[in-house]
Amino acid sequence: MNRYQAMVTRSADQAIHSQIETLQRGELAPGEVLVQAHYAGVNYKDCLSLHGAARIITQFPRVAGIEVVGEVLESRSEQFRPGDMVLSHGFGRGMDVDGGFAELVQAPAEHLQALPAGLSAEQVAILGVPGFTAAMALERFEELGLQPDSGLVAISGAGGAVGRLAIHMLHRAGYRTAALTRNLANETALRALGASQVIDISQVVDSKRPIEKPQFAAGIDNVGGAVLSWMLRSLADGGLLASVGNASGNSFDGSVLPFIMRRAQMFGIVANAPWPQRRRLWDKLAGDWKPDFAALQSDVHFIGLDDLLGHAARQLEGATSGRTVVRFGAAAA
Protein backbone atom coordinates (compact mmCIF):
# COMPACT_ATOMS: atom_id res chain seq x y z
CA MET A 1 0.00 0.00 0.00
CA ASN A 2 1.80 3.12 -1.23
CA ARG A 3 -1.27 5.31 -0.89
CA TYR A 4 -3.80 5.23 1.90
CA GLN A 5 -6.79 7.15 3.18
CA ALA A 6 -6.79 9.06 6.44
CA MET A 7 -8.95 11.56 8.28
CA VAL A 8 -6.59 14.54 8.44
CA THR A 9 -7.16 17.47 10.78
CA ARG A 10 -5.62 20.79 9.76
CA SER A 11 -5.51 24.28 11.21
CA ALA A 12 -5.90 27.33 8.98
CA ASP A 13 -6.99 30.91 9.69
CA GLN A 14 -7.61 30.04 13.35
CA ALA A 15 -10.10 27.35 12.34
CA ILE A 16 -9.87 23.56 12.59
CA HIS A 17 -10.96 21.48 9.63
CA SER A 18 -10.97 17.70 9.17
CA GLN A 19 -11.47 15.73 5.98
CA ILE A 20 -10.54 12.42 4.37
CA GLU A 21 -7.38 12.72 2.32
CA THR A 22 -5.33 10.28 0.26
CA LEU A 23 -1.79 10.30 1.57
CA GLN A 24 1.49 8.86 0.36
CA ARG A 25 3.27 6.22 2.39
CA GLY A 26 6.20 8.60 2.74
CA GLU A 27 3.99 10.86 4.88
CA LEU A 28 3.68 8.25 7.65
CA ALA A 29 5.07 9.07 11.07
CA PRO A 30 8.41 7.45 11.99
CA GLY A 31 8.46 4.05 13.63
CA GLU A 32 9.75 0.50 13.26
CA VAL A 33 6.34 -1.12 12.73
CA LEU A 34 3.82 -0.52 9.94
CA VAL A 35 0.25 -1.49 10.87
CA GLN A 36 -2.77 -1.88 8.64
CA ALA A 37 -5.69 -0.58 10.69
CA HIS A 38 -8.69 -2.85 11.19
CA TYR A 39 -10.52 -0.86 13.88
CA ALA A 40 -10.27 2.52 15.60
CA GLY A 41 -12.51 3.35 18.53
CA VAL A 42 -14.19 6.77 18.60
CA ASN A 43 -13.76 8.53 21.94
CA TYR A 44 -15.07 11.86 23.18
CA LYS A 45 -11.55 13.26 23.00
CA ASP A 46 -11.37 12.27 19.33
CA CYS A 47 -14.62 14.10 18.60
CA LEU A 48 -13.24 17.24 20.24
CA SER A 49 -10.11 16.95 18.09
CA LEU A 50 -11.91 16.43 14.80
CA HIS A 51 -14.12 19.48 15.23
CA GLY A 52 -11.63 21.72 17.03
CA ALA A 53 -13.85 21.91 20.10
CA ALA A 54 -10.87 21.76 22.48
CA ARG A 55 -7.10 22.06 22.27
CA ILE A 56 -6.33 18.34 22.08
CA ILE A 57 -4.01 18.17 19.07
CA THR A 58 -0.60 19.68 19.73
CA GLN A 59 0.65 20.12 16.16
CA PHE A 60 -1.04 20.21 12.74
CA PRO A 61 -1.67 18.55 10.41
CA ARG A 62 -2.57 15.50 12.46
CA VAL A 63 -4.47 12.24 12.08
CA ALA A 64 -6.67 11.97 15.18
CA GLY A 65 -7.73 8.77 16.91
CA ILE A 66 -6.27 7.82 20.28
CA GLU A 67 -6.45 4.06 19.68
CA VAL A 68 -6.07 1.53 16.90
CA VAL A 69 -6.21 -2.25 16.40
CA GLY A 70 -4.64 -3.76 13.32
CA GLU A 71 -2.27 -6.16 11.58
CA VAL A 72 1.47 -5.75 11.27
CA LEU A 73 2.48 -5.40 7.61
CA GLU A 74 6.17 -4.69 8.08
CA SER A 75 8.45 -4.66 11.10
CA ARG A 76 12.06 -3.73 11.77
CA SER A 77 11.58 -4.80 15.40
CA GLU A 78 12.28 -8.29 16.71
CA GLN A 79 9.22 -7.89 18.92
CA PHE A 80 6.70 -8.08 16.04
CA ARG A 81 6.38 -9.95 12.76
CA PRO A 82 4.14 -9.42 9.71
CA GLY A 83 0.74 -10.91 10.40
CA ASP A 84 0.78 -10.16 14.15
CA MET A 85 -2.34 -8.46 15.47
CA VAL A 86 -1.58 -5.48 17.71
CA LEU A 87 -3.27 -2.67 19.59
CA SER A 88 -2.08 0.77 20.55
CA HIS A 89 -3.47 3.49 22.79
CA GLY A 90 -1.85 6.32 24.70
CA PHE A 91 1.69 7.60 24.06
CA GLY A 92 0.18 10.79 22.60
CA ARG A 93 -1.48 8.90 19.75
CA GLY A 94 -3.87 11.16 17.86
CA MET A 95 -2.53 14.22 19.67
CA ASP A 96 1.28 14.38 19.53
CA VAL A 97 1.67 11.67 16.87
CA ASP A 98 -0.69 10.47 14.15
CA GLY A 99 -3.50 8.28 15.39
CA GLY A 100 -5.87 5.54 14.38
CA PHE A 101 -8.20 7.23 11.85
CA ALA A 102 -6.13 6.04 8.90
CA GLU A 103 -5.76 2.86 6.87
CA LEU A 104 -2.05 2.75 7.75
CA VAL A 105 -0.38 3.61 11.06
CA GLN A 106 3.35 3.54 11.63
CA ALA A 107 4.58 3.45 15.20
CA PRO A 108 7.56 2.68 17.41
CA ALA A 109 7.50 -0.89 18.65
CA GLU A 110 7.31 0.33 22.26
CA HIS A 111 3.91 1.88 21.50
CA LEU A 112 2.38 -1.44 20.42
CA GLN A 113 1.05 -4.44 22.27
CA ALA A 114 0.15 -7.88 20.99
CA LEU A 115 -3.54 -8.71 21.33
CA PRO A 116 -4.15 -10.56 24.60
CA ALA A 117 -4.96 -14.24 24.22
CA GLY A 118 -8.68 -14.76 24.60
CA LEU A 119 -9.86 -11.62 22.78
CA SER A 120 -10.40 -11.15 19.05
CA ALA A 121 -9.39 -7.96 17.27
CA GLU A 122 -13.03 -6.86 17.17
CA GLN A 123 -13.49 -7.52 20.88
CA VAL A 124 -10.36 -5.55 21.74
CA ALA A 125 -11.70 -2.67 19.64
CA ILE A 126 -15.08 -2.82 21.39
CA LEU A 127 -13.33 -2.53 24.76
CA GLY A 128 -10.63 -0.09 23.70
CA VAL A 129 -9.81 2.90 25.88
CA PRO A 130 -13.28 2.92 27.55
CA GLY A 131 -12.98 -0.69 28.72
CA PHE A 132 -9.38 -0.19 29.78
CA THR A 133 -10.38 2.94 31.73
CA ALA A 134 -13.13 1.05 33.55
CA ALA A 135 -10.63 -1.71 34.35
CA MET A 136 -8.16 0.82 35.77
CA ALA A 137 -10.85 2.24 38.06
CA LEU A 138 -11.97 -1.20 39.23
CA GLU A 139 -8.41 -2.30 39.96
CA ARG A 140 -7.75 0.86 41.99
CA PHE A 141 -11.01 0.39 43.92
CA GLU A 142 -10.05 -3.14 44.86
CA GLU A 143 -6.52 -2.09 45.83
CA LEU A 144 -8.18 0.36 48.25
CA GLY A 145 -10.36 -2.36 49.73
CA LEU A 146 -13.62 -2.18 47.79
CA GLN A 147 -15.48 -5.49 47.59
CA PRO A 148 -18.80 -6.48 46.01
CA ASP A 149 -20.48 -6.38 49.42
CA SER A 150 -19.14 -2.87 50.20
CA GLY A 151 -22.19 -1.22 48.68
CA LEU A 152 -23.54 0.49 45.58
CA VAL A 153 -21.16 1.89 42.94
CA ALA A 154 -22.43 4.97 41.07
CA ILE A 155 -21.49 5.42 37.40
CA SER A 156 -22.21 8.72 35.67
CA GLY A 157 -22.39 9.31 31.94
CA ALA A 158 -24.25 6.02 31.68
CA GLY A 159 -25.15 6.63 28.05
CA GLY A 160 -21.53 6.70 26.92
CA ALA A 161 -19.04 3.94 26.20
CA VAL A 162 -17.09 4.18 29.47
CA GLY A 163 -20.28 4.31 31.51
CA ARG A 164 -21.93 1.35 29.84
CA LEU A 165 -18.84 -0.80 29.83
CA ALA A 166 -18.20 0.04 33.49
CA ILE A 167 -21.77 -0.91 34.44
CA HIS A 168 -21.47 -4.23 32.66
CA MET A 169 -17.96 -5.07 33.83
CA LEU A 170 -18.68 -4.28 37.48
CA HIS A 171 -21.89 -6.29 37.30
CA ARG A 172 -19.94 -9.26 35.91
CA ALA A 173 -17.44 -8.84 38.77
CA GLY A 174 -20.26 -9.06 41.33
CA TYR A 175 -20.84 -5.38 42.12
CA ARG A 176 -24.17 -3.56 42.32
CA THR A 177 -24.20 -0.36 40.29
CA ALA A 178 -26.35 2.76 40.04
CA ALA A 179 -26.45 4.24 36.53
CA LEU A 180 -26.68 8.05 36.55
CA THR A 181 -28.33 9.42 33.42
CA ARG A 182 -30.39 12.34 32.17
CA ASN A 183 -32.21 10.13 29.70
CA LEU A 184 -34.52 7.64 31.40
CA ALA A 185 -35.42 6.23 28.00
CA ASN A 186 -32.16 4.29 28.43
CA GLU A 187 -33.31 2.60 31.63
CA THR A 188 -34.23 -0.75 30.07
CA ALA A 189 -30.91 -0.95 28.24
CA LEU A 190 -28.93 0.04 31.35
CA ARG A 191 -30.65 -2.58 33.48
CA ALA A 192 -29.98 -5.16 30.77
CA LEU A 193 -26.27 -4.36 31.12
CA GLY A 194 -26.50 -5.04 34.84
CA ALA A 195 -27.42 -1.74 36.52
CA SER A 196 -29.18 -2.36 39.84
CA GLN A 197 -30.59 1.16 39.91
CA VAL A 198 -31.10 3.95 37.38
CA ILE A 199 -31.05 7.49 38.79
CA ASP A 200 -32.26 10.58 36.91
CA ILE A 201 -29.27 12.79 37.66
CA SER A 202 -31.14 15.91 36.51
CA GLN A 203 -33.45 15.56 39.51
CA VAL A 204 -30.68 15.69 42.12
CA VAL A 205 -27.65 17.42 40.67
CA ASP A 206 -28.79 20.97 41.49
CA SER A 207 -28.96 20.27 45.22
CA LYS A 208 -27.21 22.95 47.28
CA ARG A 209 -26.58 20.77 50.32
CA PRO A 210 -22.97 20.82 51.55
CA ILE A 211 -23.17 17.05 51.98
CA GLU A 212 -25.79 14.55 50.79
CA LYS A 213 -27.36 11.39 52.14
CA PRO A 214 -24.64 8.69 51.98
CA GLN A 215 -25.54 6.36 49.11
CA PHE A 216 -22.46 5.04 47.35
CA ALA A 217 -19.45 3.00 48.38
CA ALA A 218 -17.69 4.17 45.22
CA GLY A 219 -18.28 6.03 41.99
CA ILE A 220 -16.88 6.41 38.48
CA ASP A 221 -17.48 9.90 37.09
CA ASN A 222 -17.30 10.47 33.35
CA VAL A 223 -18.63 14.01 33.14
CA GLY A 224 -17.13 16.32 35.78
CA GLY A 225 -18.83 19.55 36.79
CA ALA A 226 -21.92 19.46 39.00
CA VAL A 227 -22.33 15.70 38.62
CA LEU A 228 -18.91 15.00 40.09
CA SER A 229 -19.69 17.40 42.95
CA TRP A 230 -22.94 15.60 43.76
CA MET A 231 -21.32 12.16 43.57
CA LEU A 232 -18.56 13.26 45.94
CA ARG A 233 -21.10 14.63 48.42
CA SER A 234 -23.09 11.38 48.18
CA LEU A 235 -20.30 8.96 49.07
CA ALA A 236 -20.70 6.82 52.16
CA ASP A 237 -18.06 6.62 54.87
CA GLY A 238 -14.73 5.64 53.31
CA GLY A 239 -16.18 6.10 49.81
CA LEU A 240 -14.00 6.13 46.70
CA LEU A 241 -14.47 8.30 43.61
CA ALA A 242 -12.63 7.86 40.30
CA SER A 243 -12.64 10.88 37.98
CA VAL A 244 -12.20 9.67 34.40
CA GLY A 245 -13.83 12.29 32.14
CA ASN A 246 -14.97 15.88 31.72
CA ALA A 247 -17.85 15.88 29.24
CA SER A 248 -19.75 18.47 31.32
CA GLY A 249 -16.80 20.63 32.30
CA ASN A 250 -13.32 20.77 33.75
CA SER A 251 -14.22 22.42 37.05
CA PHE A 252 -16.46 21.49 39.95
CA ASP A 253 -17.62 23.03 43.22
CA GLY A 254 -16.88 21.25 46.44
CA SER A 255 -15.92 21.43 50.06
CA VAL A 256 -13.75 19.52 52.48
CA LEU A 257 -16.77 17.96 54.20
CA PRO A 258 -16.80 14.63 52.30
CA PHE A 259 -13.11 14.23 53.13
CA ILE A 260 -13.15 15.15 56.81
CA MET A 261 -16.60 13.82 57.70
CA ARG A 262 -16.68 10.63 55.62
CA ARG A 263 -13.02 9.93 54.81
CA ALA A 264 -13.76 10.13 51.08
CA GLN A 265 -10.96 9.51 48.60
CA MET A 266 -10.98 10.91 45.07
CA PHE A 267 -8.42 10.11 42.39
CA GLY A 268 -7.94 10.49 38.65
CA ILE A 269 -7.66 7.81 36.00
CA VAL A 270 -5.49 8.25 32.89
CA ALA A 271 -5.53 5.44 30.35
CA ASN A 272 -1.90 6.10 29.32
CA ALA A 273 -0.75 3.54 31.87
CA PRO A 274 2.74 2.08 32.40
CA TRP A 275 3.44 -1.20 30.64
CA PRO A 276 3.15 -3.55 33.63
CA GLN A 277 -0.35 -2.24 34.31
CA ARG A 278 -1.31 -2.33 30.62
CA ARG A 279 -0.39 -5.98 30.29
CA ARG A 280 -1.97 -6.91 33.61
CA LEU A 281 -5.30 -5.22 32.86
CA TRP A 282 -5.59 -6.43 29.28
CA ASP A 283 -4.98 -9.95 30.57
CA LYS A 284 -7.80 -9.41 33.08
CA LEU A 285 -10.07 -8.07 30.33
CA ALA A 286 -9.36 -11.25 28.40
CA GLY A 287 -9.90 -13.39 31.49
CA ASP A 288 -11.73 -12.78 34.77
CA TRP A 289 -13.10 -9.39 33.68
CA LYS A 290 -14.04 -10.40 30.13
CA PRO A 291 -17.45 -8.95 29.24
CA ASP A 292 -20.34 -10.85 27.75
CA PHE A 293 -19.96 -9.43 24.26
CA ALA A 294 -23.37 -10.75 23.24
CA ALA A 295 -24.89 -8.56 25.96
CA LEU A 296 -22.97 -5.55 24.61
CA GLN A 297 -24.01 -6.10 20.99
CA SER A 298 -26.84 -3.55 20.92
CA ASP A 299 -24.53 -0.89 22.42
CA VAL A 300 -21.80 -1.25 19.79
CA HIS A 301 -21.97 0.64 16.48
CA PHE A 302 -19.56 0.17 13.57
CA ILE A 303 -19.09 2.98 11.05
CA GLY A 304 -16.86 3.70 8.07
CA LEU A 305 -14.24 6.42 7.90
CA ASP A 306 -16.60 8.47 5.74
CA ASP A 307 -19.20 8.44 8.55
CA LEU A 308 -16.76 9.64 11.20
CA LEU A 309 -17.21 13.42 11.04
CA GLY A 310 -20.99 13.26 11.20
CA HIS A 311 -20.89 10.82 14.08
CA ALA A 312 -18.35 12.95 15.97
CA ALA A 313 -20.62 15.99 15.69
CA ARG A 314 -23.57 14.03 17.05
CA GLN A 315 -21.49 12.60 19.89
CA LEU A 316 -20.43 16.09 20.95
CA GLU A 317 -24.12 17.06 21.02
CA GLY A 318 -24.91 14.10 23.27
CA ALA A 319 -27.04 12.52 20.55
CA THR A 320 -25.27 9.14 20.54
CA SER A 321 -24.96 6.29 23.00
CA GLY A 322 -22.79 3.24 23.56
CA ARG A 323 -19.52 2.44 21.84
CA THR A 324 -18.72 3.47 18.25
CA VAL A 325 -15.84 1.95 16.29
CA VAL A 326 -14.50 2.80 12.83
CA ARG A 327 -14.15 -0.45 10.90
CA PHE A 328 -11.72 -0.40 8.00
CA GLY A 329 -11.96 -2.57 4.91
CA ALA A 330 -9.08 -4.72 6.11
CA ALA A 331 -11.25 -6.01 8.97
CA ALA A 332 -13.71 -7.53 6.50
CA ALA A 333 -11.05 -9.08 4.29
Side-chain angles (χ1 to χ4, degrees), residues 155-164 167 180-181 186 190 299 320-323:
I155 299 173
S156 69
V162 177
R164 294 198 174 198
I167 289 167
L180 311 185
T181 181
N186 290 327
L190 294 172
D299 284 316
T320 64
S321 63
R323 172 69 163 159

Side-chain angles (χ1 to χ4, degrees), residues 192-242:
L193 289 172
S196 303
Q197 296 183 22
V198 177
I199 298 174
D200 183 353
I201 190 65
S202 65
Q203 298 298 309
V204 297
V205 73
D206 292 330
S207 167
K208 302 301 182 183
R209 298 185 187 93
I211 197 161
E212 306 286 344
K213 173 185 174 182
Q215 299 187 61
F216 311 119
I220 298 175
D221 175 57
N222 292 283
V223 297
V227 174
L228 185 151
S229 299
W230 181 82
M231 291 175 69
L232 179 60
R233 299 197 307 270
S234 301
L235 290 176
D237 186 53
L240 308 170
L241 181 59

Side-chain angles (χ1 to χ4, degrees), residues 17-164:
H17 177 71
S18 299
Q19 66 179 18
I20 296 176
E21 299 182 14
T22 300
L23 302 180
Q24 301 287 338
R25 183 167 163 175
E27 298 176 75
L28 286 163
E32 301 88 11
V33 185
L34 179 65
V35 177
Q36 184 174 22
H38 285 204
Y39 302 96
V42 184
N43 300 279
Y44 188 76
K45 183 181 290 186
D46 300 320
C47 301
L48 293 171
S49 295
L50 290 169
H51 289 284
R55 297 178 65 87
I56 304 295
I57 293 173
T58 59
Q59 186 177 8
F60 298 91
R62 176 68 67 227
V63 176
I66 64 172
E67 57 179 286
V68 66
V69 178
E71 180 182 355
V72 173
L73 293 181
E74 299 175 6
S75 175
R76 300 191 306 276
S77 166
E78 295 181 357
Q79 189 175 351
F80 300 104
R81 297 180 301 175
D84 288 347
M85 297 300 297
V86 295
L87 69 109
S88 180
H89 60 84
F91 303 107
R93 186 152 308 285
M95 298 176 287
D96 306 324
V97 297
D98 284 342
F101 296 147
E103 292 178 315
L104 293 181
V105 176
Q106 193 157 268
E110 60 266 25
H111 290 186
L112 300 171
Q113 178 180 355
L115 262 60
L119 290 174
S120 69
E122 183 174 296
Q123 290 171 337
V124 168
I126 290 170
L127 289 169
V129 168
F132 186 79
T133 298
M136 289 185 73
L138 178 54
E139 181 179 63
R140 183 71 178 276
F141 286 157
E142 294 191 340
E143 287 174 347
L144 293 171
L146 190 73
Q147 299 177 359
D149 61 1
S150 297
L152 200 61
V153 179
I155 299 173
S156 69
V162 177
R164 294 198 174 198

